[in-house]
Amino acid sequence: MIIYKQKDFLSYMPDVQECNKSISDLNDQWDNIKLLSEINCPIQSISVLPNMTKIQNGFCDLQQELIDTLVSEKLKKMEQKIVSKTQVAIDILIRNLFERTADIGFLATDDDIRRFVENDERTESDRNQILARMREYVAKYSVYEDIIVLDQDFRVLANLDEQNNILGKKIKGPNLVKTMNGEQSFVEYFKNSKLQYGDKNSHVFSSRICREGTSQTIGLICLCFRFENEMKQIFEKLTNDYDGSVITIIDDANTVIASSDENHVPTGTVVEPVESGENGVVYYRGSDYIAKTLSTQGYQNYFGLGWKGHVMLPLGLAFRDNRNLKDIDSTVSTGLLRQADSFSTELNAIINKTQLINGSLKRIVYNGQIIARDDSIDAEYSRLKPILRAIGRIGTNTSSLFQNSVSNLFSTVVSTSLVDTSFLASLCVDIMDRNLYERANDCRWWALDSTIRRILAKDELDSAKQKQLTDILTYINDLYTVYTNLFVFDKTGTIVAVSQPEHADDIGKTLTMPFISDILANASPEKYFVSPFEKTDLYDDRHTYIYGASITDFNNSNKTVGGIGIVFDSEYQFRTILEESLNSGNDAFAVFTDRKKRIIAATSDAYAVGEKLNLPDELFSVPNGDTRSEIRVYENCYYSIGCACSSSYREYKDSDGYHNDVIAFVFEKMADYSEMRIEKTEYKEIEQSDFAFSLADESKKLATFVINGQVYGMEQSYVIEVLEASKMISVPGTNSVIRGAVEFNKQYYAVVDALALFDKDQPSIDATHLLMLQLSDEEMIAIQVEKLVSVLEINKNDIQPVDITSAITGVICLNDNSNRTILEMDPQIMLEKLVENTVEEDLEAALPLLETI
């Protein structure tokens, strides 16, 4: 294994490489422009070149910062995806195996199996009866390949699998000896075993069978889990996106025991483990793979045999660009992109730095265009103009390149989130179906208990028999901890025994719910019944499902003598399923609902069970087994919302007649909607080439700039210089028009909000530049400007005069059908307006204070 540094992954990211090359190419252009400036404009270059070099160095520093951040973000997203899948693979398996640990404990105390083992004079008829009994159990649980019963001499007394010819054979191995010794309640192992035919490894749970009421061992029972079948179902769920990864389960010797691609990474292969926090790259079959190895998080303090999930993803496929945002509403995606810090604070910082540097570049170009010139350098200035335009283009292209890189990463982040949320929603309902599959089977298993059947068949129930029922239910409930209570009721629907002492008051209560009536009207051992998800006093007036099955007379299986009900602890179990399925590092929550929007469970206390989830109807119509995801504004936030509708697991809700659609929603917060600001006008760059300039017509030079998304122009002669807006300082006595003051040539001048001067309800926003204006021989002010455009030469004939009482004296409409306009502002009217607003008095009070400071 090789531990890669972050920079080592760059060669596997073609889009980041392309970005890096493009920025380097622009850097070469910088060098060419600087050389041209020195040759063609020696006087002007003295003031321009130092600032250009400073800006170029700033972009170079940002280049490395951007590339490092892009690599880091893409690496993080790739790792998040493969780690999530691999963690799910091992944890779902462990959840399933945990249920088996309860099953083995229950079957080891089955009265019929116990009596069969105790009977030294057992006949073939006895064996057939016990086989029939075990078939009834396996008919409920399709997760078992075989059930095997052995006596205390390790001789096989009965087994279900007819292909497994071991009846009468003595099979003694270290794990069976360990089980017989009784040091543990059960023994779990995975190895090649004589208990099953073939060369494959068997996954076996074994437990002692003890004489009733004692700890004397009389035999063993073994459950053989359908490991390969179960892993096939898990892998099919996790690898349907065909991303090239191979997910495996490995044992404590790092040997593959299950693989999502047997042809590529077959079982028996020894792999090199890679801890989750490492960027480990392994070499396998002639290629490099990024690999991760993850331990199970466990379930109910059960961790199995120490297996781990291991994933291998070819490096050549690890960073494929799979962005697909065409279905996202453009308003949503644009608004969300403006919240760059919501998905990467590092990238947001880079963009802010880029804008600051580009603003400095704009000021260099702008000041180069408006600088006062004498005849001696006029010829040089004519050579400087194309150089200044080239500098402006490089700055614009550099800024656009940085912005596009962030936009592309944004697409990756959003598309990854959409895939993640739909995957996690699908995972939630899959785990729920798997969990409730066990509940449907449990109630039918326990309804087969011969002691319960015999007791309920009696016309009367004395205290001793009731205690016997209670002891059985208590023992079962101790094994199966997902229930708050188990109860048995007689043929009248009256509860006669419970598993939990705190529910003793329920004894004697007659149940009249429809599903209870259905249980009492049924005699088929294959059927189970489920209550609606509703409040019940059997669950302390909370919402839950109660699963139940019919109990029939032991001597007459067509006669129903009562039923068993199992109260699922839905509040805790469903919330745990949702919480454990979420990516803990993300700002996310999850909800289970039915198709009528009613909440079944949620990870957030803000969503109460029984209330409705306020989402559009179409999200609740997702077909069974399908998923969908979208970006939506919800609860004043941008969320990636994934949803999935339950389908089935094995025969549960597939061929058993039960229908109950549950929809899982996973919400991953992308940004706060309340923080969004949509610009009033989407500004598009205006250049000299946008005008049909004619030397034959009289022209005017306008210094153009942007305020609140609108382009304004002012005669160039009024504009002295452009300064950074950050140089403005706040002073006492300012108001909505006077925003502060700025130092220029060792004097302080007022900074005026030009829009507020004419319309106090419309202050300027996002000022990044200050334009120093010489309004008269005595009066100089600065105005706040959002963006700098250029000094444009405009034909006077193209300026349409307007007669309105404001500072706007003319309108220039671009002839490209874009509806773009330039509004010409008259500084003299601005001066008059300043006098009208008695702004001078405010300045007279404020500026001396600055001079003193």
Side-chain angles (χ1 to χ4, degrees):
M1 177 182 68
I2 302 173
I3 302 298
Y4 270 36
K5 295 180 180 178
Q6 187 172 289
K7 63 181 181 180
D8 296 329
F9 290 103
L10 177 59
S11 60
Y12 297 95
M13 301 177 181
D15 52 338
V16 182
Q17 282 184 296
E18 184 179 347
C19 173
N20 194 30
K21 182 180 182 302
S22 297
I23 298 175
S24 297
D25 290 345
L26 285 171
N27 196 41
D28 292 340
Q29 293 182 37
W30 276 105
D31 291 334
N32 292 335
I33 290 295
K34 285 161 61 178
L35 182 61
L36 283 173
S37 298
E38 285 186 291
I39 295 173
N40 294 329
C41 314
I43 299 174
Q44 294 286 350
S45 64
I46 293 173
S47 60
V48 172
L49 282 181
N51 286 328
M52 280 182 61
T53 301
K54 181 180 177 182
I55 290 171
Q56 182 184 11
N57 292 338
F59 275 130
C60 286
D61 292 341
L62 275 184
Q63 175 181 1
Q64 191 57 53
E65 196 174 330
L66 173 66
I67 298 305
D68 288 345
T69 305
L70 289 176
V71 172
S72 174
E73 291 289 338
K74 292 179 81 69
L75 190 59
K76 184 165 63 177
K77 289 300 171 186
M78 179 277 300
E79 182 174 310
Q80 177 182 319
K81 179 182 178 182
I82 62 172
V83 165
S84 176
K85 284 187 174 185
T86 310
Q87 191 71 66
V88 165
I90 186 63
D91 285 346
I92 282 187
L93 175 62
I94 292 300
R95 273 179 170 268
N96 194 320
L97 296 179
F98 169 76
E99 300 281 354
R100 313 290 69 86
T101 67
D103 291 349
I104 189 67
F106 172 71
L107 284 181
T109 59
D110 181 86
D111 289 338
D112 294 320
I113 295 174
R114 180 186 285 149
R115 281 190 284 267
F116 171 73
V117 175
E118 278 185 303
N119 183 9
D120 292 334
E121 298 179 358
R122 68 187 73 85
T123 65
E124 189 64 28
S125 175
D126 294 332
R127 180 177 289 108
N128 287 335
Q129 282 185 353
I130 206 65
L131 287 174
R133 180 62 184 278
M134 292 194 299
R135 285 192 191 96
E136 283 187 307
Y137 281 126
V138 172
K140 315 295 183 294
Y141 276 105
S142 60
V143 297
Y144 294 118
E145 289 183 328
D146 205 354
I147 300 178
I148 303 167
V149 178
L150 303 91
D151 64 17
Q152 59 187 342
D153 295 322
F154 302 99
R155 195 174 305 280
V156 176
L157 303 180
N159 74 295
L160 278 181
D161 189 351
E162 295 178 355
Q163 298 180 67
N164 191 16
N165 188 23
I166 57 174
L167 183 63
K169 292 183 179 179
K170 188 173 182 179
I171 301 176
K172 186 177 181 180
N175 287 297
L176 294 180
V177 171
K178 184 179 179 181
T179 306
M180 194 74 78
N181 290 338
E183 295 175 4
Q184 300 169 224
S185 58
F186 70 90
V187 174
E188 176 189 0
Y189 57 94
F190 182 82
K191 61 178 295 184
N192 191 283
S193 171
K194 294 179 181 179
L195 286 173
Q196 289 191 282
Y197 62 92
D199 294 327
K200 67 178 182 179
N201 285 328
S202 300
H203 194 168
V204 179
F205 291 85
S206 58
S207 180
R208 292 188 304 157
I209 300 173
C210 295
R211 197 177 303 278
E212 187 173 4
T214 74
S215 59
Q216 180 186 352
T217 304
I218 58 175
L220 299 177
I221 186 167
C222 301
L223 297 180
C224 300
F225 181 62
R226 296 177 70 190
F227 178 77
E228 291 179 358
N229 174 269
E230 176 63 13
M231 290 313 307
K232 181 180 178 182
Q233 295 199 34
I234 292 174
F235 288 144
E236 282 178 355
K237 191 84 173 179
L238 297 176
T239 58
N240 57 8
D241 59 351
Y242 310 108
D243 63 352
S245 62
V246 180
I247 303 173
T248 61
I249 304 296
I250 62 175
D251 63 16
D252 55 1
N254 302 320
T255 301
V256 174
I257 58 174
S259 172
S260 65
D261 189 343
E262 277 282 352
N263 292 324
H264 193 56
V265 186
T267 53
T269 303
V270 177
V271 298
E272 194 171 1
V274 179
E275 294 303 319
S276 179
E278 297 178 339
N279 292 323
V281 174
V282 298
Y283 185 76
Y284 178 77
R285 290 191 174 183
S287 299
D288 288 327
Y289 292 77
I290 187 163
K292 299 287 179 185
T293 309
L294 297 136
S295 299
T296 177
Q297 299 177 88
Y299 183 65
Q300 303 279 313
N301 293 318
Y302 168 76
F303 294 89
L305 296 172
W307 295 341
K308 296 180 180 180
H310 181 77
V311 64
M312 293 167 55
L313 177 62
L315 263 178
L317 301 177
F319 305 101
R320 280 189 303 184
D321 190 358
N322 59 350
R323 295 190 300 267
N324 183 12
L325 301 183
K326 65 176 186 292
D327 295 329
I328 298 179
D329 182 272
S330 59
T331 303
V332 171
S333 59
T334 301
L336 184 54
L337 179 56
R338 288 178 180 145
Q339 293 287 69
D341 58 340
S342 65
F343 55 88
S344 174
T345 54
E346 293 86 356
L347 282 167
N348 186 56
I350 291 172
I351 289 303
N352 289 337
K353 291 176 185 175
T354 304
Q355 291 170 343
L356 287 174
I357 294 174
N358 207 41
S360 299
L361 181 63
K362 268 287 188 183
R363 284 191 292 275
I364 290 175
V365 175
Y366 209 82
N367 285 329
Q369 291 174 321
I370 63 175
I371 193 167
R373 301 179 303 280
D374 55 39
D375 293 339
S376 64
I377 63 169
D378 208 31
E380 180 175 307
Y381 180 72
S382 64
R383 296 192 297 273
L384 180 65
K385 285 197 294 184
I387 293 176
L388 290 172
R389 286 196 293 269
I391 293 172
R393 281 194 296 272
I394 291 176
T396 300
N397 291 340
T398 304
S399 182
S400 296
L401 191 55
F402 276 68
Q403 290 278 10
N404 289 338
S405 298
V406 175
S407 179
N408 289 339
L409 183 70
F410 160 79
S411 298
T412 300
V413 170
V414 173
S415 60
T416 300
S417 179
L418 289 171
V419 171
D420 280 352
T421 53
S422 61
F423 167 71
L424 293 175
S426 177
L427 173 64
C428 288
V429 289
D430 183 54
I431 293 177
M432 182 193 225
D433 279 342
R434 285 167 168 271
N435 193 312
L436 297 181
Y437 161 82
E438 304 287 349
R439 314 300 60 98
N441 296 336
D442 287 349
C443 63
R444 290 180 292 169
W445 263 38
W446 305 335
L448 294 174
D449 186 276
S450 58
T451 301
I452 297 176
R453 295 170 69 185
R454 287 187 174 99
I455 291 174
L456 280 189
K458 303 292 184 182
D459 291 331
E460 299 211 1
L461 182 68
D462 58 28
S463 58
K465 294 298 183 186
Q466 186 182 59
K467 182 179 184 306
Q468 197 173 358
L469 285 177
T470 301
D471 289 345
I472 292 171
L473 294 179
T474 301
Y475 173 75
I476 294 171
N477 207 165
D478 287 343
L479 290 172
Y480 298 81
T481 56
V482 297
Y483 304 108
T484 59
N485 190 34
L486 313 179
F487 59 90
V488 168
F489 53 94
D490 63 18
K491 59 187 176 184
T492 68
T494 302
I495 295 176
V496 296
V498 296
S499 64
Q500 297 294 338
E502 57 265 32
H503 288 279
D505 290 344
D506 290 339
I507 296 175
K509 187 181 295 182
T510 300
L511 306 175
T512 59
M513 296 86 89
F515 82 100
I516 298 293
S517 301
D518 292 339
I519 291 172
L520 294 174
N522 170 67
S524 170
E526 299 308 315
K527 285 194 173 183
Y528 65 90
F529 301 86
V530 191
S531 73
F533 186 77
E534 60 188 8
K535 283 185 178 180
T536 172
D537 56 359
L538 298 173
Y539 189 53
D540 300 327
D541 289 320
R542 293 174 292 165
H543 290 76
T544 194
Y545 293 112
I546 298 176
Y547 281 72
S550 308
I551 298 174
T552 59
D553 190 322
F554 184 78
N555 297 311
N556 180 5
S557 60
N558 293 318
K559 180 183 178 182
T560 302
V561 294
I564 185 169
I566 56 180
V567 184
F568 183 58
D569 190 6
S570 62
E571 185 176 284
Y572 175 77
Q573 294 296 327
F574 286 156
R575 182 162 185 155
T576 300
I577 288 172
L578 293 172
E579 287 176 342
E580 291 183 353
S581 299
L582 292 179
N583 288 328
S584 58
N586 293 350
D587 189 357
F589 67 94
V591 183
F592 279 136
T593 75
D594 60 19
R595 287 213 183 270
K596 294 181 180 178
K597 303 186 179 183
R598 191 174 53 153
I599 295 171
I600 294 172
T603 58
S604 169
D605 293 334
Y607 299 88
V609 175
E611 293 183 354
K612 288 196 171 182
L613 185 64
N614 184 25
L615 285 174
D617 294 346
E618 61 264 22
L619 292 178
F620 296 88
S621 62
V622 58
N624 293 100
D626 277 6
T627 64
R628 64 177 294 178
S629 56
E630 59 182 55
I631 302 294
R632 181 177 287 273
V633 177
Y634 178 76
E635 299 290 343
N636 220 30
C637 294
Y638 281 106
Y639 278 101
S640 169
I641 304 175
C643 64
C645 183
S646 60
S647 176
S648 61
Y649 172 64
R650 297 186 180 273
E651 59 275 8
Y652 177 68
K653 294 202 295 189
D654 179 39
S655 57
D656 58 12
Y658 178 53
H659 300 285
N660 180 40
D661 292 347
V662 174
I663 302 173
F665 291 89
V666 173
F667 297 73
E668 184 177 298
K669 183 179 175 182
M670 306 296 286
D672 289 328
Y673 181 72
S674 59
E675 296 175 2
M676 302 299 297
R677 180 189 64 76
I678 304 300
E679 291 181 355
K680 295 174 62 176
T681 306
E682 198 64 41
Y683 167 69
K684 185 178 178 182
E685 198 74 43
I686 296 176
E687 297 181 354
Q688 185 68 58
S689 57
D690 290 316
F691 300 92
F693 180 66
S694 172
L695 293 175
D697 297 325
E698 192 176 355
S699 65
K700 179 188 288 190
K701 288 184 179 179
L702 295 181
T704 56
F705 46 87
V706 178
I707 304 178
N708 280 22
Q710 173 61 51
V711 181
Y712 292 88
M714 188 180 296
E715 279 195 47
Q716 177 189 339
S717 59
Y718 288 99
V719 183
I720 305 303
E721 192 169 329
V722 185
L723 307 176
E724 293 179 52
S726 60
K727 292 183 178 295
M728 185 185 77
I729 55 177
S730 298
V731 293
T734 56
N735 54 35
S736 60
V737 175
I738 302 299
R739 295 308 180 116
V742 65
E743 183 184 13
F744 181 69
N745 290 340
K746 298 183 180 181
Q747 291 191 49
Y748 286 94
Y749 298 94
V751 177
V752 176
D753 186 327
L755 292 187
L757 182 64
F758 296 92
D759 182 356
K760 295 184 185 298
D761 294 328
Q762 190 186 34
S764 299
I765 52 178
D766 285 353
T768 55
H769 310 279
L770 299 177
L771 250 64
M772 297 302 303
L773 303 181
Q774 186 76 55
L775 302 181
S776 68
D777 291 341
E778 295 82 20
E779 296 293 344
M780 182 182 289
I781 64 168
I783 63 169
Q784 295 177 306
V785 172
E786 182 183 338
K787 293 179 181 178
L788 300 172
V789 181
S790 185
V791 175
L792 301 173
E793 201 155 357
I794 309 292
N795 291 327
K796 286 187 175 180
N797 292 336
D798 291 335
I799 303 174
Q800 304 298 318
V802 292
D803 186 18
I804 55 178
T805 56
S806 72
I808 308 305
T809 58
V811 178
I812 302 102
C813 299
L814 274 72
N815 56 4
D816 59 356
N817 299 318
S818 65
N819 295 322
R820 289 182 292 164
T821 60
I822 301 174
L823 303 182
E824 185 180 8
M825 186 179 286
D826 188 341
Q828 293 303 317
I829 298 178
M830 183 180 293
L831 180 60
E832 294 170 8
K833 196 71 175 176
L834 283 168
V835 173
E836 287 177 19
N837 280 269
T838 65
V839 170
E840 285 190 348
E841 294 179 10
D842 297 324
L843 291 180
E844 292 297 328
L847 294 182
L849 177 62
L850 281 175
E851 300 292 347
T852 302
I853 294 173

